């Protein structure tokens, strides 16, 4: 099911990566009509949705397509138009992080994932809107404008990768890249009815991802189909010597897991704390229906308590903000980004001006809190303690996954909020991520797949598992996807 | 209150033997490159980049730790040290730390130095691996004279070792000898060429009589270290004498003006906000690596001193001074092997050569070019043949070091010791005839001989060998006396 922007158009705009590739291999010129079609959708709807910060000129993309066809590099992504979150470095294409600080910054290098997408025959179509420096859950923290939810223009698309998810849902791109630090791929996937996957920490190179919280950040794909996400993951994953946290594991054929039957009799856990208080009744109904469908495949579902999970949000915010305060220290306007007149001023004055003008309110809040928790005398009580609890949480998950293969939860406890509904209350805003942040803290893989609709609004189901269980997640996601049709 | 001086050092040494910077592929040889051309996205800290450790740096650090008798940690852990400054591209420095369960590459250790024949043990506190910063260039050379500053990031990210001592020094001299010895160890290990501008920098902490601790930054050589500390002691004692108090502060050594000046606002350690760098997972230092490095350690200054003292018969003190500089010691061994007379050569190098270098602040490499093995050998030959006396020899060394004079030319100009006895006999006769009173004095009082010797030396413009002159005069006096 697609939102109106997509379904109003011809079937071409909602083609899957594989279908597109097959058509292009059959008739290379089809790629040009596909590009025309996608740009038509963008021309028609982008002024409303505002999923992008930068859309590349159609002529440039057509030229790339020509070069691609000439090189005959019709790899797994042949011709796919990939929307890229604007915190992933693209050589020659402005990379703003939705911040005034980097409004005019044009990187001189490609992130590893961008190189891999290009090598696989993909074409970058543009850079998508997001919460500034990925700090937020609604895409309302963009310094430029909020992105709207294609299913209901009064609602947010989720964040922080809201632009990527909205662009994919509305058929303004074939698929997209997002980044997920505490739920920033899964939450917008859930709110836009798309599939979004956060890989195991270290599976996808972070080289070129503008860091928010380095020990939690991962790049991952967002697609309209489970299969698209599998193909994208296969392209972008694998060891990268430029990222010391990248793991030395071989790339897998994730596509082979996207089949309409369980390839294993999964033992599925539901953590009680993730479905208790705060979860919307209607969301729970969709979630329970999903469980029933999975049981009908002969899979077992059991409920388990995991009390420590309640500490996830505070632990997450201490670690994420501490790392953010460090990662964002480099923005001083001296080498790139927002510039200020320097002559006749003390450098400290210039730094103050640049950082006061360049960062938005939420970014400043997190830098201040992060600076606070790292200061002398407070470090042990905050950062060090949070790191210890994080370790305990990790061990608790390891125990869980000795008994179970996978776990399920609602991705978000509530339906997509209306614009302005949560943005002014940080605690309310942060609680949208209650079910997604524990996953990042433990470095686990997780995805969100549409489980059903309530009054025309999509509900996302989160599937997560032990490290490197992406294949199983995709298999189960496919079962949920099939059931939803 | 006693005025005991307590000094501790923090030494930063670039690992100049590494081909590339600590966390990227840029060359670690940034010298003589046009500004901001030895840079890449990683060392410029562009958004999204990640550091990848140059693992050769671990081997170098392990070698240093072994040479300083330090305890090597089980793993390498990097931390981020935060402070805002324009020469720091990320506004944090990737470094190491020793609190909160974090470890530097090595802790503890000791270096034995020879202070005027007495040996003294200096304790090492820790060794860190970290990245260097960029360089701030003032167009008018000084901060105050310049309207703006320029930044050159060519140096940013070069691998540094930070070696911190316990406060074990009691005089500027001791600190200097330690720094020389440390430099020599690093040279012998082939870790660093400390003669390169900026390759070795020291910060010194000094406290006198238990008063407040003052940190002096920006010291570029052992010679400057001694000068800066001596200046600082005088400055502090003057303040105390006039009833003032010493403030805890950071000061900068200004080499050109030979003084220390107050530095920018004091940085407090708590403001560095250390935490483990999430981009760099800890790397174990394996026993195998340590054993491999240990088994291939080259000869170090202490064992070299023992060897050359024995091999060349030059005495322990001479040997201990020679090994304080690898190139000097290489120069000694090469020359001694080429032309023999190691005792004379070591004495020339230690007592004359080093003295003039220090006095005129001439780099050792220049000094070695001027007093080359070739020239040194010739000097030894001239001395052995009696063409130059020890006194003239010393003068030749001075002229070679300070003015690049070739001993051959000096000899050709006739500036030689008058070794011909006949010539001297003639001059002595002249002097005796011109100074009858002194002669009769000398006959009564042997001490008065010196006057006559002096007269001969004056007439020969110092070219006579005073020893021979002395002998001739004594012989002549005996002849006179028997008459």
């Amino acid at each position: 099911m697609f939102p109106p922007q997509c379904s109003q158009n011809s079937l071409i705009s909602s083609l899957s990566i594989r279908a597109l590739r097959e058509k292009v291999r059959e008739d290379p010129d089809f790629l040009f009509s596909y590009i025309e079609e996608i740009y038509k959708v963008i021309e028609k709807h982008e002024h409303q949705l505002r999923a992008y910060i930068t859309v590349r000129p159609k002529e440039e993309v057509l030229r790339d397509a020509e070069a691609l066809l000439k090189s005959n590099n019709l790899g797994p992504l042949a011709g796919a138009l990939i929307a890229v979150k604007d915190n992933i470095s693209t050589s020659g294409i402005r990379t703003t992080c939705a911040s005034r600080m980097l409004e005019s910054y044009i990187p001189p290098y490609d992130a590893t994932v961008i190189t891999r997408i290009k090598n696989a025959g993909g074409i970058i179509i543009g850079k998508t809107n997001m919460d500034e420096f990925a700090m937020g859950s609604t895409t309302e923290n963009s310094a430029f404008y909020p992105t709207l939810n294609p299913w209901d223009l009064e609602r947010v698309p989720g964040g922080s990768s809201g632009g990527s998810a909205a662009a994919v849902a509305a058929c303004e791109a074939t698929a997209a890249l997002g980044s997920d630090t505490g739920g920033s791929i899964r939450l917008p996937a859930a709110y836009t009815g798309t599939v979004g996957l956060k890989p195991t920490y270290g599976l996808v190179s972070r080289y070129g991802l503008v860091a928010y919280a380095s020990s939690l950040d991962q790049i991952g794909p967002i697609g309209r189909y489970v299969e698209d996400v599998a193909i994208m993951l296969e392209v972008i994953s694998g060891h990268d010597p430029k990222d010391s946290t990248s793991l030395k594991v071989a790339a897998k054929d994730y596509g082979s897991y996207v089949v309409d039957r369980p390839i294993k009799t999964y033992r599925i856990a539901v953590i009680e704390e993730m479905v208790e208080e705060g979860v919307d009744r209607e969301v729970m109904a969709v979630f329970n229906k999903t469980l029933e469908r999975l049981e009908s495949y002969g899979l077992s579902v059991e409920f388990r308590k995991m009390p420590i999970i309640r500490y996830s949000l505070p632990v997450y915010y201490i670690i994420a903000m501490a790392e953010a305060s460090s990662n964002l220290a480099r923005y001083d306007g001296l080498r790139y980004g927002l510039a200020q007149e320097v002559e006749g001023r003390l450098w400290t004055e210039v730094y103050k001006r640049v950082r006061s003008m360049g960062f938005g309110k939420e970014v400043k809040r997190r830098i201040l809190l992060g600076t606070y928790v790292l200061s002398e005398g407070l470090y042990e009580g905050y950062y060090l303690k949070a790191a210890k609890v994080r370790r305990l949480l990790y061990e608790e998950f390891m125990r869980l996954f000795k008994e179970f293969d996978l776990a399920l939860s609602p991705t978000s406890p509530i339906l997509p909020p209306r614009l302005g509904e949560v943005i002014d209350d940080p605690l309310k805003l942060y609680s949208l991520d209650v079910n997604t942040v524990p996953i990042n803290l433990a470095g686990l893989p997780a995805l969100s797949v549409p489980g059903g609709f309530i009054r025309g609004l999509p509900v996302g189901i989160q599937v997560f598992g032990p490290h490197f269980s992406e294949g199983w997640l995709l298999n189960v996601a496919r079962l949920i996807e099939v059931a939803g049709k | 209150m006693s005025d005991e001086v307590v000094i501790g050092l923090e030494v930063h040494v670039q690992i100049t033997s590494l081909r590339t910077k600590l966390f990227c592929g840029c060359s670690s040889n940034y010298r003589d490159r046009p500004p901001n051309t030895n840079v890449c996205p990683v060392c410029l800290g562009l958004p999204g980049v990640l550091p990848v450790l140059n693992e050769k740096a671990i081997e170098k650090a392990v070698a240093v730790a072994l040479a300083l008798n330090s305890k090597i940690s089980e793993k390498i852990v990097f931390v981020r040290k935060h402070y805002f400054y324009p020469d720091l591209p990320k506004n944090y420095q990737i470094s190491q730390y020793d609190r909160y369960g974090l470890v530097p590459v090595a802790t503890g250790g000791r270096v034995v130095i020879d202070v005027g024949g007495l040996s003294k043990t200096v304790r090492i506190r820790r060794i860190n691996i970290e990245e260097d910063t960029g360089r701030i260039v003032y167009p008018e050379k000084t901060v105050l004279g310049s309207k703006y500053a320029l930044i050159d990031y060519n140096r940013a990210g070069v691998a540094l070792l930070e070696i911190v001592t316990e406060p074990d020094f009691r005089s500027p001299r001791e600190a200097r000898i330690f720094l020389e010895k440390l430099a020599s160890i690093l040279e012998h290990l082939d870790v660093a060429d400390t003669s390169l501008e900026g390759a070795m920098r020291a910060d010194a902490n000094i406290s006198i009589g238990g008063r407040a601790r003052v940190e002096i930054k920006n010291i570029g050589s052992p010679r400057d270290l001694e000068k800066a500390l001596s200046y600082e002691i005088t400055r502090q004692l003057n303040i105390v004498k006039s009833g003032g108090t010493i403030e805890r502060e950071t000061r900068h050594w200004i080499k050109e003006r030979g003084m220390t000046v107050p530095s920018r606002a004091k940085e407090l350690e708590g403001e560095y906000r250390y935490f483990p760098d999430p981009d760099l997972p800890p790397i174990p230092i394996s026993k195998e690596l340590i054993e491999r490095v240990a088994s291939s350690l080259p000869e170090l200054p202490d064992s070299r001193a023992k060897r050359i003292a024995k091999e060349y018969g030059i005495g322990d003190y001479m040997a201990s001074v020679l090994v304080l500089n690898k190139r000097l010691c290489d120069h000694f061994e090469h020359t001694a092997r080429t032309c023999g007379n190691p005792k004379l050569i070591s004495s020339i190098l230690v007592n004359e050569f080093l003295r003039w270098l220090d006095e005129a602040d001439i780099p050792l490499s220049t000094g070695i070019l001027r007093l080359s093995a070739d020239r040194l050998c010739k000097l030894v030959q001239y001395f052995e043949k009696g063409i130059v006396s020890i006194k003239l020899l010393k003068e030749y060394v001075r002229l070679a070091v300070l003015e690049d004079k070739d001993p051959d030319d000096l000899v050709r100009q006739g500036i030689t010791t008058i070794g011909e006895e006949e010539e001297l006999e003639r001059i002595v006769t002249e002097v005796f005839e011109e100074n009858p009173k002194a002669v009769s004095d000398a006959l009564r009082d042997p001490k008065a001989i010196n006057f006559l010797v002096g007269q001969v030396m004056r007439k020969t413009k110092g070219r006579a060998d005073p020893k021979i002159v002395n002998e001739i005069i004594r012989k002549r006096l005996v002849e006179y006396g028997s008459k």
Side-chain angles (χ1 to χ4, degrees):
Chain A
M1 222 169 121
F2 301 119
Q5 299 83 352
C6 202
S7 49
Q8 277 165 13
N9 290 282
S10 69
L11 287 174
I12 293 179
S13 65
S14 58
L15 282 176
S16 73
I17 292 174
R18 183 160 57 101
L20 172 66
R21 179 177 68 211
E22 280 165 7
K23 277 186 181 291
V24 172
R25 280 181 185 169
E26 231 167 71
D27 168 21
D29 284 346
F30 175 77
L31 182 53
F32 300 114
S33 33
Y34 176 74
I35 293 170
E36 294 290 349
E37 187 71 20
I38 298 298
Y39 271 88
K40 253 185 232 163
V41 180
I42 291 174
E43 275 156 34
K44 209 162 155 195
H45 301 289
E46 176 58 16
H47 69 279
Q48 243 181 348
L49 281 182
R50 316 207 82 173
Y52 286 97
I53 289 173
T54 304
V55 178
R56 290 180 68 207
K58 189 168 76 184
E59 295 64 38
E60 261 183 54
V61 170
L62 287 169
R63 265 201 299 277
D64 280 5
E66 232 167 283
L68 177 79
L69 296 174
K70 209 175 263 172
S71 73
N72 206 28
N73 170 25
L74 301 180
L77 296 182
L81 300 180
I82 307 297
V84 177
K85 191 177 182 180
D86 213 16
N87 61 349
I88 298 173
S89 189
T90 43
S91 182
I93 307 174
R94 194 164 73 113
T95 299
T96 69
C97 293
S99 178
R100 295 275 170 223
M101 187 65 90
L102 294 176
E103 196 169 356
S104 56
Y105 168 64
I106 297 173
Y109 77 102
D110 271 336
T112 299
V113 289
I114 299 298
T115 308
R116 289 185 178 173
I117 281 177
K118 287 179 178 174
N119 289 342
I123 299 170
I124 309 303
I125 182 167
K127 303 297 294 288
T128 57
N129 200 13
M130 54 187 282
D131 289 295
E132 185 178 2
F133 283 104
M135 297 178 185
S137 308
T138 64
T139 312
E140 289 166 291
N141 284 334
S142 166
F144 307 130
Y145 38 77
T147 296
L148 307 184
N149 190 322
W151 294 96
D152 177 349
L153 299 179
E154 287 176 9
R155 291 177 191 267
V156 301
S160 62
S161 313
S164 285
V168 170
C171 292
E172 291 187 349
T174 317
L177 287 179
S179 72
D180 190 316
T181 306
S184 282
I185 286 175
R186 291 159 286 161
L187 197 69
Y191 287 175
T192 59
T194 51
V195 185
L197 184 144
K198 182 210 92 81
T200 301
Y201 185 80
L203 184 66
V204 174
S205 168
R206 289 187 296 117
Y207 186 76
L209 170 65
V210 181
Y212 158 26
S214 316
S215 74
L216 301 159
D217 296 340
Q218 271 289 286
I219 293 171
I222 298 174
R224 284 186 293 272
Y225 310 95
V226 172
E227 187 193 47
D228 285 3
V229 167
I231 294 170
M232 286 279 283
L233 181 64
E234 199 173 323
V235 168
I236 62 173
S237 62
H239 181 248
D240 176 13
K242 288 179 183 161
D243 175 359
S244 310
T245 62
S246 151
L247 298 164
K248 286 183 179 129
V249 288
K252 265 191 195 171
D253 175 9
Y254 293 108
S256 69
Y257 290 87
V258 187
V259 289
D260 296 356
R261 57 179 168 77
I263 58 166
K264 180 178 165 46
T265 315
Y266 300 109
R267 297 160 299 167
I268 296 171
V270 174
I271 297 169
E272 286 181 24
E273 286 79 1
M274 292 174 118
V275 292
E276 277 172 353
E277 55 198 282
V279 182
D280 185 280
R281 212 171 27 83
E282 291 172 305
V283 169
M284 265 319 281
V286 172
F287 180 67
N288 286 329
K289 212 168 138 202
T290 304
L291 292 180
E292 282 165 26
R293 283 175 186 153
L294 292 177
E295 280 175 323
S296 73
Y297 279 104
L299 309 180
S300 67
V301 175
E302 272 185 62
F303 283 64
R304 273 286 184 283
K305 277 201 185 315
M306 198 198 272
I308 196 170
I309 214 157
R310 293 179 192 279
Y311 296 103
S312 298
L313 271 182
V315 165
Y316 169 79
Y317 276 99
I318 288 168
I319 288 171
M321 290 180 190
E323 293 183 9
S325 73
S326 170
N327 286 327
L328 272 65
R330 72 189 60 193
Y331 304 107
D332 54 28
L334 220 56
R335 291 158 297 275
Y336 48 80
L338 187 68
Q340 283 288 305
E341 183 61 43
V342 293
E343 213 154 325
R345 292 211 180 100
L346 282 173
W347 66 270
T348 46
E349 274 314 306
V350 177
Y351 279 29
K352 274 183 208 163
R353 272 168 181 262
V354 165
R355 292 173 70 81
S356 299
M357 292 168 67
F359 289 139
K361 197 167 136 193
E362 183 63 24
V363 173
K364 283 178 189 158
R365 182 184 355 254
R366 296 193 192 193
I367 290 174
L368 284 174
L369 287 171
T371 304
Y372 178 78
V373 299
L374 286 180
S375 27
E376 180 78 10
L378 298 170
Y379 178 85
E380 285 169 290
Y382 287 103
Y383 183 86
L384 216 51
K385 201 171 214 173
K388 280 178 190 158
V389 178
R390 180 181 185 178
R391 182 76 207 170
L392 292 176
L393 183 73
Y394 170 88
E395 285 165 3
E396 206 55 43
F397 272 121
M398 293 303 103
R399 261 194 286 281
L400 181 79
F401 288 122
K402 270 189 188 143
E403 216 182 314
F404 297 93
D405 301 308
L406 300 170
L408 252 68
S409 80
T411 308
S412 165
I414 57 168
L415 292 169
R418 291 194 162 73
L419 278 128
E421 194 179 325
V422 290
I423 190 74
D424 292 326
D425 181 351
L427 291 183
K428 214 166 166 186
L429 183 68
Y430 296 172
S431 71
L432 297 182
D433 296 325
V434 67
N435 281 352
T436 51
V437 296
I439 310 302
N440 298 74
L441 288 171
L444 305 174
L447 59 73
S448 177
V449 58
F453 285 83
I454 295 163
R455 283 174 275 111
L457 293 172
V459 173
I461 305 298
Q462 175 172 248
V463 189
F464 58 102
H467 299 111
F468 308 116
S469 62
E470 281 84 354
W472 292 351
L473 304 189
L474 289 162
N475 183 212
V476 170
R478 175 63 189 158
L479 300 180
I480 298 171
E481 184 179 52
V482 170
K485 277 191 174 159
Chain B
M1 200 182 249
S2 90
D3 281 336
E4 190 190 32
V5 174
V6 176
I7 298 164
L9 294 180
E10 255 180 51
V11 183
H12 292 96
V13 189
Q14 291 176 344
I15 311 180
T16 56
S17 59
L18 290 178
R19 207 174 51 78
T20 57
K21 291 182 178 179
L22 188 54
F23 295 113
C24 66
C26 290
S27 172
S28 65
N29 180 15
Y30 59 90
R31 294 174 175 83
D32 305 323
R33 296 280 301 264
N36 296 310
T37 57
N38 186 40
V39 292
C40 71
V42 174
C43 57
L44 279 179
L46 293 190
V49 298
L50 295 170
V52 175
L53 177 66
N54 177 349
E55 299 207 9
K56 284 257 179 276
I58 304 181
E59 286 177 34
K60 301 285 181 185
V62 165
V64 174
L66 289 168
L68 303 188
N69 309 292
S70 304
K71 184 175 169 289
I72 297 162
S73 299
E74 285 169 5
K75 55 187 176 175
I76 294 272
V77 187
F78 287 103
V79 306
R80 294 182 181 179
K81 176 181 179 177
H82 300 86
Y83 61 94
F84 284 93
Y85 207 65
D87 64 7
L88 197 59
K90 301 182 292 292
N91 286 314
Y92 64 78
Q93 179 191 33
I94 303 177
S95 181
Q96 298 193 298
Y97 198 47
D98 54 3
R99 289 173 62 194
Y100 310 128
L102 304 168
V103 285
V105 63
T107 50
R110 63 191 181 281
V111 174
V112 179
I113 56 172
D114 189 305
V115 186
L118 295 173
S119 77
K120 168 169 185 139
T121 300
V122 177
R123 292 168 301 156
I124 303 295
R125 185 177 290 171
R126 61 178 159 84
I127 305 172
N128 277 355
I129 305 180
E130 59 187 29
E131 53 178 354
D132 208 342
T133 62
R135 264 171 1 102
I136 297 190
V137 182
Y138 296 102
E140 309 298 330
K141 302 283 179 218
T142 64
V143 190
L144 290 177
S146 305
K147 276 193 186 144
Y148 59 92
L150 299 168
I151 309 166
D152 177 6
Y153 291 104
N154 283 351
R155 192 179 74 179
V158 167
L160 284 182
L161 289 177
E162 184 191 62
I163 299 162
V164 182
T165 76
E166 296 292 344
D168 284 349
F169 307 103
R170 296 292 171 267
S171 71
R173 184 81 200 150
E174 288 179 9
R176 173 182 183 157
I177 293 169
F178 167 80
L179 196 57
E180 283 174 344
K181 177 103 179 232
L182 180 63
S184 179
I185 291 170
L186 296 166
E187 301 268 353
H188 279 84
L189 289 171
D190 188 30
V191 165
D193 179 352
T194 59
S195 68
L196 294 172
E197 166 77 30
M200 186 180 217
R201 285 113 61 187
D203 299 340
N205 279 297
I206 176 166
S207 161
I208 305 177
R211 295 182 195 93
R213 196 180 74 191
V214 173
E215 186 177 11
I216 311 168
K217 286 184 175 282
N218 194 34
I219 304 171
S221 70
R223 176 180 182 267
D224 277 12
L225 176 64
E226 187 177 16
K227 290 197 165 198
L229 287 168
S230 302
Y231 173 89
E232 187 59 20
I233 290 171
T234 311
R235 186 189 72 86
Q236 291 190 21
L237 289 180
N238 281 340
I239 291 174
V240 172
K241 249 181 241 161
S242 58
T245 50
I246 306 299
E247 302 280 343
R248 182 172 171 178
E249 64 172 335
T250 301
R251 301 180 67 84
H252 257 67
W253 166 246
I254 311 286
K255 183 185 175 179
E256 293 75 22
R257 289 157 66 192
M259 61 189 295
T260 67
V261 297
S263 187
R264 65 191 145 94
K266 180 172 56 182
E267 300 145 353
L268 291 176
E269 176 150 293
E271 287 163 4
Y272 286 139
R273 294 179 284 122
Y274 294 98
F275 83 104
D277 191 328
D279 290 333
L280 292 161
I283 300 173
I285 306 176
S286 68
K287 283 219 164 61
E288 293 72 41
L289 173 84
I290 297 171
E291 276 161 21
R292 183 160 56 80
V293 175
S295 67
S296 57
L297 276 187
E299 185 186 43
L300 291 170
D302 284 343
S303 45
R304 188 175 193 186
K306 282 196 190 103
R307 176 178 62 78
I308 62 170
K310 205 172 146 209
E311 190 176 328
Y312 299 97
I314 56 171
D316 293 343
Y317 172 72
M318 283 293 175
S320 81
V321 177
L322 285 172
V323 299
L324 283 183
N325 193 303
K326 179 172 183 292
R327 284 183 204 190
L328 177 69
C329 202
D330 291 347
H331 189 47
F332 161 74
E333 288 206 62
H334 173 64
T335 314
R337 277 182 192 151
T338 313
C339 56
N341 209 340
K343 273 194 176 165
L344 178 63
I345 292 167
S346 65
S347 161
I348 291 173
L349 290 175
V350 169
N351 296 326
E352 305 303 318
F353 177 70
L354 285 183
R355 173 185 155 206
W356 297 118
L357 287 187
D358 199 42
E359 214 149 283
D361 197 16
I362 294 168
L364 184 90
S365 50
T366 310
I368 288 176
L369 285 177
R370 291 180 179 176
L371 193 65
S372 61
D374 209 33
R375 288 179 177 177
L376 249 176
C377 282
K378 284 207 174 115
L379 281 177
V380 169
Q381 284 166 16
Y382 292 147
F383 177 75
E384 285 170 346
K385 287 182 185 160
I387 296 172
V388 296
S389 64
I390 193 71
K391 186 162 178 275
L392 200 56
L393 177 88
K394 289 177 180 175
E395 178 62 8
Y396 273 28
V397 171
R398 188 182 73 85
L399 290 171
V401 173
L402 299 185
E403 296 169 27
D404 199 16
K405 290 261 166 68
D406 187 341
D408 261 1
D409 291 343
L410 295 169
V411 169
R412 263 182 233 119
Q413 286 165 29
I415 309 172
T416 56
T417 301
I418 298 163
E420 303 293 320
E421 300 247 346
E422 281 170 37
E423 171 83 2
L424 283 178
E425 293 278 2
R426 193 182 56 74
I427 296 167
V428 169
T429 310
E430 268 178 40
V431 168
F432 270 50
E433 280 165 6
E434 287 161 17
N435 300 283
K437 185 171 179 298
V439 174
S440 52
D441 284 354
L443 280 169
R444 280 194 304 277
D445 177 8
K447 275 183 199 159
I449 287 177
N450 290 340
F451 177 79
L452 292 170
V453 175
Q455 290 304 305
V456 176
M457 295 309 288
R458 199 168 61 86
K459 269 190 182 281
T460 60
K461 298 200 174 74
R463 289 160 56 221
D465 184 335
K467 216 174 100 201
I468 298 169
V469 174
N470 209 303
E471 278 166 20
I472 295 172
I473 292 175
R474 281 178 193 280
K475 206 172 69 195
R476 194 71 66 82
L477 285 172
V478 172
E479 285 165 18
Y480 266 61
S482 61
K483 274 183 193 163

